[in-house]
Coordinates of all heavy atoms in Angstrom, one line a residue:
M79 N 12.8 159.2 110.8 CA 14.3 159.0 111.1 C 14.7 159.9 112.2 O 14.2 161.0 112.3 CB 15.1 159.2 109.7 CG 16.4 158.8 109.8 SD 17.3 158.7 108.3 CE 16.2 158.3 107.0
N80 N 15.5 159.4 112.9 CA 16.0 160.2 114.1 C 17.0 161.2 113.5 O 17.7 161.1 112.5 CB 16.8 159.3 115.2 CG 15.8 158.4 115.8 OD1 14.6 158.6 115.8 ND2 16.3 157.1 116.3
D81 N 17.3 162.3 114.5 CA 18.2 163.2 114.0 C 19.6 162.5 114.3 O 19.9 161.7 115.1 CB 18.1 164.6 114.8 CG 18.4 164.7 116.2 OD1 19.1 163.7 116.8 OD2 18.0 165.6 116.9
E82 N 20.7 163.1 113.6 CA 22.0 162.6 113.6 C 22.6 162.4 115.1 O 23.4 161.4 115.4 CB 23.1 163.3 112.8 CG 24.3 162.7 112.7 CD 24.6 162.0 111.4 OE1 23.7 162.0 110.6 OE2 25.7 161.4 111.2
A83 N 22.3 163.4 116.0 CA 23.0 163.3 117.4 C 22.4 162.2 118.1 O 23.0 161.6 119.0 CB 22.5 164.6 118.0
S84 N 21.2 161.6 117.9 CA 20.6 160.5 118.7 C 21.0 159.2 118.1 O 20.6 158.1 118.5 CB 19.2 160.8 118.8 OG 18.5 160.6 117.6
C85 N 21.6 159.1 117.1 CA 21.8 157.9 116.3 C 23.1 157.3 116.8 O 24.1 157.9 117.0 CB 22.0 158.0 114.7 SG 20.4 158.5 114.0
S86 N 23.1 156.0 117.0 CA 24.2 155.2 117.4 C 24.5 154.4 116.4 O 23.8 153.5 115.9 CB 23.9 154.3 118.7 OG 25.0 153.6 119.0
R87 N 25.8 154.6 115.8 CA 26.2 153.9 114.5 C 27.2 152.7 114.8 O 28.1 153.2 115.6 CB 26.7 154.8 113.5 CG 25.6 155.8 113.1 CD 26.1 156.9 112.1 NE 26.4 156.1 110.9 CZ 26.5 156.6 109.6 NH1 26.5 157.8 109.6 NH2 26.8 155.9 108.7
V88 N 27.1 151.7 114.2 CA 27.9 150.4 114.5 C 28.5 150.0 113.2 O 27.7 149.7 112.2 CB 27.1 149.3 115.1 CG1 27.9 148.0 115.4 CG2 26.4 149.7 116.4
L89 N 29.8 149.8 113.0 CA 30.5 149.4 111.9 C 30.2 147.8 111.9 O 30.6 147.0 112.7 CB 32.0 149.6 111.8 CG 32.7 149.2 110.6 CD1 32.2 149.8 109.4 CD2 34.2 149.4 110.9
L90 N 29.4 147.4 110.7 CA 29.2 145.9 110.7 C 30.3 145.2 109.8 O 30.6 144.1 110.2 CB 27.8 145.7 110.0 CG 26.7 146.2 110.7 CD1 25.3 146.0 109.9 CD2 26.6 145.7 112.1
S91 N 30.7 145.9 108.9 CA 31.7 145.2 107.9 C 32.5 146.3 107.2 O 31.9 147.4 106.9 CB 31.0 144.3 106.9 OG 31.8 143.6 106.3
K92 N 33.7 145.9 106.8 CA 34.5 146.9 105.9 C 35.5 146.0 105.3 O 36.0 145.2 105.7 CB 35.2 147.8 106.9 CG 36.0 148.9 106.2 CD 36.7 149.7 107.3 CE 37.5 150.9 106.5 NZ 38.1 151.7 107.5
N93 N 35.7 146.3 104.0 CA 36.8 145.8 103.1 C 37.2 147.0 102.2 O 37.0 148.1 102.4 CB 36.2 144.5 102.5 CG 35.3 144.8 101.3 OD1 35.0 145.9 100.9 ND2 34.7 143.8 100.9
E94 N 38.0 146.5 101.2 CA 38.7 147.3 100.3 C 37.8 148.1 99.4 O 38.1 149.2 98.9 CB 39.8 146.8 99.4 CG 39.3 145.5 98.5 CD 39.0 144.2 99.0 OE1 39.3 144.1 100.3 OE2 38.3 143.4 98.3
I95 N 36.4 147.7 99.2 CA 35.6 148.4 98.3 C 34.6 149.3 99.1 O 33.9 150.1 98.5 CB 35.0 147.6 97.3 CG1 33.8 146.7 98.1 CG2 35.8 146.9 96.5 CD1 32.8 146.1 97.1
G96 N 34.4 149.0 100.3 CA 33.5 149.9 101.0 C 33.2 149.3 102.5 O 33.9 148.5 103.1
R97 N 32.1 149.8 103.0 CA 31.8 149.3 104.5 C 30.3 149.5 104.5 O 29.5 150.0 103.8 CB 32.5 150.2 105.5 CG 32.0 151.7 105.5 CD 32.7 152.5 106.5 NE 32.1 153.9 106.6 CZ 32.2 154.6 107.6 NH1 33.1 154.1 108.7 NH2 31.5 155.7 107.8
V98 N 29.8 148.8 105.6 CA 28.4 148.7 106.0 C 28.2 149.3 107.5 O 29.0 148.6 108.4 CB 27.7 147.4 105.9 CG1 26.2 147.4 106.3 CG2 27.9 146.9 104.4
V99 N 27.5 150.2 107.7 CA 27.3 150.7 109.0 C 25.9 150.7 109.4 O 25.0 150.9 108.5 CB 27.8 152.3 109.1 CG1 27.4 152.9 110.4 CG2 29.2 152.4 108.7
F100 N 25.4 150.3 110.6 CA 24.1 150.1 111.1 C 23.8 151.2 112.0 O 24.5 151.4 113.1 CB 23.9 148.7 111.7 CG 22.5 148.4 112.0 CD1 21.5 148.3 111.2 CD2 22.2 148.4 113.4 CE1 20.1 148.2 111.6 CE2 20.7 148.3 113.8 CZ 19.8 148.1 112.9
C101 N 22.7 151.9 111.9 CA 22.2 152.9 112.8 C 21.2 152.2 113.6 O 20.1 151.9 113.2 CB 21.6 154.0 112.1 SG 20.8 155.3 113.2
E102 N 21.5 152.1 114.9 CA 20.5 151.4 115.8 C 19.3 152.2 116.0 O 18.0 151.7 116.1 CB 21.2 151.3 117.2 CG 22.2 150.3 117.2 CD 23.0 150.0 118.4 OE1 23.1 151.1 119.2 OE2 23.4 149.0 118.8
G103 N 19.2 153.5 116.0 CA 18.1 154.4 116.3 C 17.2 154.4 115.1 O 16.0 154.4 115.3
C104 N 17.8 154.3 113.9 CA 16.9 154.3 112.7 C 16.6 153.0 112.1 O 15.8 152.8 111.2 CB 17.6 155.2 111.6 SG 18.1 156.8 112.1
S105 N 17.3 152.0 112.7 CA 17.3 150.5 112.1 C 17.4 150.5 110.7 O 16.8 149.9 109.9 CB 15.8 149.9 112.5 OG 15.8 149.7 113.9
V106 N 18.5 151.2 110.2 CA 18.9 151.4 108.9 C 20.4 151.0 108.7 O 21.3 151.4 109.5 CB 18.7 152.8 108.4 CG1 19.3 153.0 107.0 CG2 17.2 153.2 108.4
A107 N 20.7 150.2 107.6 CA 22.0 149.8 107.3 C 22.5 150.8 106.2 O 21.7 150.9 105.3 CB 22.1 148.3 106.9
E108 N 23.5 151.2 106.3 CA 24.0 152.1 105.1 C 25.3 151.5 104.5 O 26.3 151.3 105.2 CB 24.5 153.5 105.8 CG 24.9 154.6 104.8 CD 25.1 156.0 105.4 OE1 24.7 156.2 106.4 OE2 25.6 156.8 104.6
L109 N 25.1 151.2 103.2 CA 26.1 150.6 102.4 C 26.9 151.7 101.8 O 26.3 152.6 101.1 CB 25.6 149.6 101.5 CG 26.5 149.1 100.4 CD1 27.6 148.2 101.0 CD2 25.6 148.2 99.3
E110 N 28.2 151.9 102.0 CA 29.1 152.9 101.4 C 30.0 152.3 100.5 O 30.9 151.4 100.9 CB 29.8 153.7 102.4 CG 28.7 154.5 103.4 CD 29.4 155.1 104.6 OE1 30.7 155.0 104.6 OE2 28.7 155.6 105.4
I111 N 30.0 152.5 99.2 CA 30.9 152.1 98.2 C 31.4 153.3 97.5 O 30.8 154.0 96.7 CB 30.4 151.1 97.2 CG1 29.8 150.0 97.9 CG2 31.4 150.7 96.0 CD1 29.0 148.9 97.0
G112 N 32.7 153.7 97.8 CA 33.3 154.9 97.2 C 32.3 156.2 97.5 O 32.1 156.3 98.7
A113 N 32.0 157.0 96.6 CA 31.1 158.1 96.8 C 29.8 157.7 96.9 O 28.8 158.5 97.0 CB 31.5 159.2 95.8
I114 N 29.3 156.4 96.7 CA 27.9 156.0 96.8 C 27.6 155.6 98.2 O 28.2 154.8 98.7 CB 27.7 154.9 95.7 CG1 27.9 155.5 94.3 CG2 26.2 154.4 95.8 CD1 27.9 154.4 93.3
S115 N 26.5 156.0 98.5 CA 25.9 155.7 99.8 C 24.3 155.2 99.7 O 23.6 155.9 99.1 CB 25.9 156.8 100.9 OG 25.4 156.4 102.0
L116 N 24.1 153.9 100.2 CA 22.8 153.4 100.0 C 22.2 153.0 101.5 O 22.9 152.2 102.1 CB 22.8 152.1 99.1 CG 21.6 151.3 99.0 CD1 20.5 152.0 98.2 CD2 21.8 150.0 98.3
R117 N 21.2 153.6 101.7 CA 20.5 153.3 103.0 C 19.4 152.3 102.8 O 18.6 152.4 101.9 CB 20.0 154.6 103.7 CG 21.0 155.5 104.0 CD 20.6 156.9 104.5 NE 19.7 156.8 105.7 CZ 20.1 156.7 106.9 NH1 21.4 156.8 107.3 NH2 19.3 156.8 108.0
I118 N 19.5 151.3 103.7 CA 18.4 150.1 103.4 C 18.1 149.8 104.9 O 18.8 149.6 105.9 CB 19.1 148.9 102.7 CG1 18.0 147.9 102.4 CG2 20.4 148.5 103.4 CD1 18.5 146.8 101.4
E119 N 16.7 149.4 105.0 CA 16.2 149.0 106.3 C 16.9 147.7 106.8 O 17.2 146.8 106.0 CB 14.7 148.7 106.1 CG 13.8 149.9 106.0 CD 12.3 149.4 106.0 OE1 12.0 148.4 106.6 OE2 11.6 150.2 105.5
G120 N 17.2 147.7 108.0 CA 18.0 146.7 108.6 C 17.4 145.3 108.3 O 18.0 144.3 107.9
S121 N 16.1 145.2 108.2 CA 15.3 143.9 107.9 C 15.5 143.5 106.4 O 15.4 142.3 106.1 CB 13.9 144.1 108.3 OG 13.2 145.1 107.5
A122 N 15.9 144.4 105.6 CA 16.0 144.0 104.2 C 17.4 143.7 103.9 O 17.9 143.2 102.7 CB 15.6 145.2 103.3
L123 N 18.4 143.8 104.8 CA 19.8 143.7 104.5 C 20.0 142.1 104.0 O 20.8 141.8 103.1 CB 20.6 143.8 105.8 CG 22.0 144.0 105.6 CD1 22.5 144.9 104.5 CD2 22.8 144.4 106.8
N124 N 19.4 141.2 104.7 CA 19.4 139.7 104.4 C 19.0 139.5 102.9 O 19.6 138.7 102.2 CB 18.7 138.9 105.3 CG 19.2 137.4 105.2 OD1 20.4 137.1 105.2 ND2 18.3 136.5 105.1
S125 N 17.9 140.2 102.6 CA 17.4 140.1 101.2 C 18.4 140.6 100.1 O 18.6 140.0 99.1 CB 16.0 140.7 101.1 OG 15.0 140.2 101.7
L126 N 19.0 141.6 100.5 CA 20.0 142.2 99.7 C 21.2 141.4 99.5 O 21.8 141.2 98.3 CB 20.5 143.7 100.2 CG 21.7 144.3 99.4 CD1 21.1 144.6 97.9 CD2 22.1 145.6 100.1
K127 N 21.7 140.6 100.6 CA 22.8 139.7 100.6 C 22.3 138.6 99.6 O 23.2 138.2 98.7 CB 22.9 139.0 102.0 CG 24.0 138.0 102.0 CD 24.0 137.3 103.3 CE 23.0 136.2 103.2 NZ 23.1 135.2 104.4
M128 N 21.1 138.0 99.8 CA 20.8 136.9 98.9 C 20.6 137.4 97.3 O 21.1 136.6 96.5 CB 19.4 136.3 99.2 CG 19.4 135.6 100.6 SD 18.1 134.7 101.2 CE 16.9 136.1 101.3
L129 N 20.3 138.5 97.0 CA 20.2 139.0 95.7 C 21.5 139.1 95.1 O 21.7 138.7 94.1 CB 19.5 140.5 95.7 CG 19.4 141.2 94.4 CD1 18.4 140.6 93.6 CD2 19.1 142.7 94.6
L130 N 22.6 139.7 95.9 CA 23.9 139.8 95.4 C 24.6 138.4 95.3 O 25.4 138.3 94.4 CB 24.7 140.8 96.4 CG 24.3 142.2 96.3 CD1 25.0 143.0 97.5 CD2 24.4 142.9 95.0
A131 N 24.4 137.6 96.2 CA 25.0 136.3 96.0 C 24.5 135.5 94.8 O 25.2 134.9 94.1 CB 24.7 135.5 97.3
D132 N 23.1 135.7 94.6 CA 22.6 135.0 93.5 C 23.1 135.7 92.1 O 23.4 134.9 91.3 CB 21.0 135.1 93.5 CG 20.4 134.5 92.3 OD1 20.6 133.3 92.0 OD2 19.5 135.1 91.6
A133 N 23.3 137.0 92.1 CA 23.7 137.8 90.9 C 25.4 137.2 90.7 O 25.6 136.9 89.6 CB 23.7 139.2 91.2
A134 N 26.1 137.1 91.8 CA 27.5 136.7 91.6 C 27.6 135.3 91.2 O 28.4 135.0 90.3 CB 28.2 136.8 92.9
T135 N 26.8 134.3 91.6 CA 26.7 133.0 91.2 C 26.4 133.0 89.7 O 27.0 132.2 88.9 CB 25.7 132.3 92.0 OG1 26.1 132.2 93.3 CG2 25.6 130.8 91.4
R136 N 25.3 133.6 89.3 CA 24.9 133.7 87.9 C 25.9 134.3 87.0 O 26.1 133.8 85.9 CB 23.6 134.4 87.8 CG 22.4 133.5 88.3 CD 21.1 134.4 88.4 NE 20.1 133.6 89.0 CZ 19.2 132.8 88.4 NH1 19.3 132.6 87.2 NH2 18.3 132.1 89.2
L137 N 26.6 135.2 87.4 CA 27.8 135.9 86.6 C 28.8 134.8 86.4 O 29.3 134.7 85.3 CB 28.1 137.2 87.2 CG 29.3 137.9 86.6 CD1 29.0 138.3 85.1 CD2 29.8 139.2 87.3
T138 N 29.2 134.1 87.5 CA 30.1 133.1 87.4 C 29.9 132.1 86.3 O 30.6 131.6 85.5 CB 30.5 132.6 88.8 OG1 31.0 133.6 89.6 CG2 31.5 131.5 88.7
L139 N 28.6 131.6 86.4 CA 28.1 130.7 85.5 C 28.2 131.1 84.1 O 28.5 130.3 83.2 CB 26.8 130.1 85.9 CG 26.7 129.3 87.1 CD1 25.3 129.0 87.5 CD2 27.4 128.0 87.2
Y140 N 27.7 132.4 83.9 CA 27.6 132.9 82.5 C 29.1 133.0 82.0 O 29.3 132.7 80.7 CB 27.0 134.3 82.7 CG 27.2 135.1 81.3 CD1 26.5 134.9 80.3 CD2 28.2 136.1 81.3 CE1 26.5 135.7 79.1 CE2 28.3 136.8 80.2 CZ 27.5 136.7 79.1 OH 27.6 137.4 77.9
Q141 N 30.0 133.5 82.8 CA 31.4 133.6 82.3 C 32.0 132.3 82.1 O 32.8 132.2 81.0 CB 32.3 134.3 83.4 CG 31.9 135.9 83.5 CD 32.6 136.5 84.7 OE1 32.9 135.9 85.6 NE2 32.8 137.9 84.6
Q142 N 31.6 131.2 82.8 CA 32.2 129.9 82.5 C 31.7 129.4 81.2 O 32.2 128.9 80.3 CB 31.7 129.0 83.6 CG 32.6 129.2 84.9 CD 32.0 128.4 86.0 OE1 31.0 127.7 86.0 NE2 32.8 128.4 87.2
E143 N 30.2 129.5 81.0 CA 29.7 129.2 79.7 C 30.2 130.0 78.6 O 30.4 129.3 77.5 CB 28.2 129.3 79.7 CG 27.5 128.4 80.7 CD 27.6 126.9 80.2 OE1 27.5 126.6 78.9 OE2 27.9 126.0 80.9
Q144 N 30.5 131.1 78.8 CA 31.0 132.0 77.6 C 32.4 131.6 77.2 O 32.8 131.4 76.0 CB 31.1 133.5 78.1 CG 31.4 134.4 77.0 CD 31.5 135.8 77.5 OE1 31.7 136.1 78.6 NE2 30.9 136.7 76.6
A145 N 33.2 131.1 78.3 CA 34.7 130.6 78.0 C 34.5 129.3 77.3 O 35.4 129.1 76.4 CB 35.4 130.4 79.3
V146 N 33.7 128.5 77.6 CA 33.4 127.1 76.9 C 33.0 127.4 75.4 O 33.5 126.8 74.7 CB 32.4 126.3 77.7 CG1 32.1 125.1 76.8 CG2 33.0 125.8 79.0
Y147 N 32.1 128.2 75.3 CA 31.6 128.6 73.9 C 32.7 128.9 73.0 O 33.0 128.7 72.0 CB 30.4 129.5 74.0 CG 30.0 129.8 72.6 CD1 29.1 129.0 72.0 CD2 30.3 131.1 72.0 CE1 28.7 129.4 70.6 CE2 30.0 131.5 70.7 CZ 28.9 130.6 70.1 OH 28.6 131.0 68.9
T148 N 33.4 130.0 73.7 CA 34.6 130.6 72.8 C 35.6 129.7 72.5 O 36.2 129.5 71.4 CB 35.3 131.8 73.9 OG1 34.3 132.7 74.1 CG2 36.4 132.4 72.9
K149 N 35.9 128.7 73.5 CA 36.8 127.6 73.2 C 36.4 126.7 72.1 O 37.1 126.2 71.2 CB 37.2 126.9 74.4 CG 38.2 125.8 74.4 CD 38.7 125.2 75.6 CE 39.7 124.2 75.5 NZ 40.0 123.6 76.8
Q150 N 35.1 126.2 72.2 CA 34.5 125.3 71.1 C 34.3 125.8 69.9 O 34.4 125.2 68.9 CB 33.1 124.8 71.7 CG 33.2 124.0 72.9 CD 31.8 123.7 73.5 OE1 30.9 124.2 73.1 NE2 31.8 122.6 74.2
T151 N 34.1 127.3 69.8 CA 34.0 127.8 68.4 C 35.1 128.5 67.8 O 35.2 129.0 66.8 CB 32.8 128.9 68.5 OG1 33.3 129.9 69.4 CG2 31.5 128.3 68.9
A152 N 36.4 128.4 68.5 CA 37.7 128.9 68.1 C 38.0 128.1 66.8 O 38.0 126.9 66.6 CB 38.7 128.7 69.1
V153 N 38.5 128.8 65.8 CA 39.0 128.4 64.6 C 40.4 128.3 64.6 O 41.1 129.4 64.8 CB 38.3 129.1 63.3 CG1 39.0 128.5 62.0 CG2 36.9 129.2 63.4
N154 N 41.0 127.2 64.2 CA 42.5 127.0 64.2 C 42.9 127.3 62.7 O 42.8 126.5 61.9 CB 42.9 125.6 64.6 CG 44.4 125.6 64.8 OD1 45.1 126.5 64.5 ND2 45.0 124.5 65.3
Y155 N 43.6 128.6 62.5 CA 44.0 129.0 61.2 C 45.3 128.4 60.8 O 45.9 128.7 59.9 CB 43.8 130.3 61.0 CG 42.5 130.9 61.1 CD1 42.0 131.5 62.2 CD2 41.6 130.7 60.0 CE1 40.6 132.1 62.2 CE2 40.3 131.2 59.9 CZ 39.8 131.9 61.1 OH 38.6 132.4 61.0
N156 N 46.0 127.8 61.8 CA 47.4 127.2 61.6 C 47.3 125.8 61.1 O 48.5 125.3 61.0 CB 48.2 127.3 62.9 CG 48.4 128.7 63.3 OD1 48.5 129.6 62.5 ND2 48.4 128.9 64.6
V157 N 46.3 125.3 60.5 CA 46.2 124.0 60.1 C 46.6 123.9 58.6 O 46.2 124.8 57.8 CB 44.8 123.3 60.3 CG1 44.7 121.9 59.6 CG2 44.4 123.2 61.6
H158 N 47.6 123.0 58.2 CA 48.0 122.9 56.8 C 47.4 121.8 56.0 O 47.1 120.8 56.4 CB 49.5 122.8 56.6 CG 50.2 124.0 57.3 ND1 49.8 125.2 57.2 CD2 51.4 124.1 58.0 CE1 50.7 126.0 57.7 NE2 51.8 125.3 58.1

């Protein structure tokens, strides 16, 4: 890893939860979310994107199935 003075950092993305900065000298992407900082090789950034996208998709499906199950198993106690 290069020393900080020789690193050229480029802001790749930023939103309300964090940002991603790429160090050209180190070929490392740094994901910053609040006080958490994760450094990942630039070549692995696309794999991380696919991992997170898959997890987000599966969470959405899980939540949809959970809502359907809850609705199907609800008992209506107001029946006379």
Side-chain angles (χ1 to χ4, degrees):
M79 192 165 325
N80 298 334
D81 68 17
E82 185 102 6
S84 66
C85 291
S86 175
R87 299 179 66 161
V88 178
L89 178 64
L90 297 178
S91 183
K92 181 178 181 180
N93 68 16
E94 64 278 355
I95 67 161
R97 67 184 191 155
V98 178
V99 178
F100 181 71
C101 175
E102 292 176 326
C104 300
S105 288
V106 170
E108 186 171 349
L109 171 61
E110 299 173 359
I111 301 174
I114 298 171
S115 178
L116 173 68
R117 295 175 55 87
I118 184 169
E119 289 184 20
S121 60
L123 193 57
N124 196 49
S125 294
L126 177 60
K127 176 191 85 165
M128 290 187 301
L129 177 70
L130 292 174
D132 185 48
T135 299
R136 290 173 186 267
L137 179 58
T138 298
L139 293 172
Y140 170 77
Q141 290 170 333
Q142 289 171 349
E143 287 296 320
Q144 190 176 36
V146 168
Y147 176 79
T148 301
K149 186 176 180 181
Q150 289 175 346
T151 58
V153 177
N154 187 353
Y155 292 106
N156 294 324
V157 177
H158 296 326

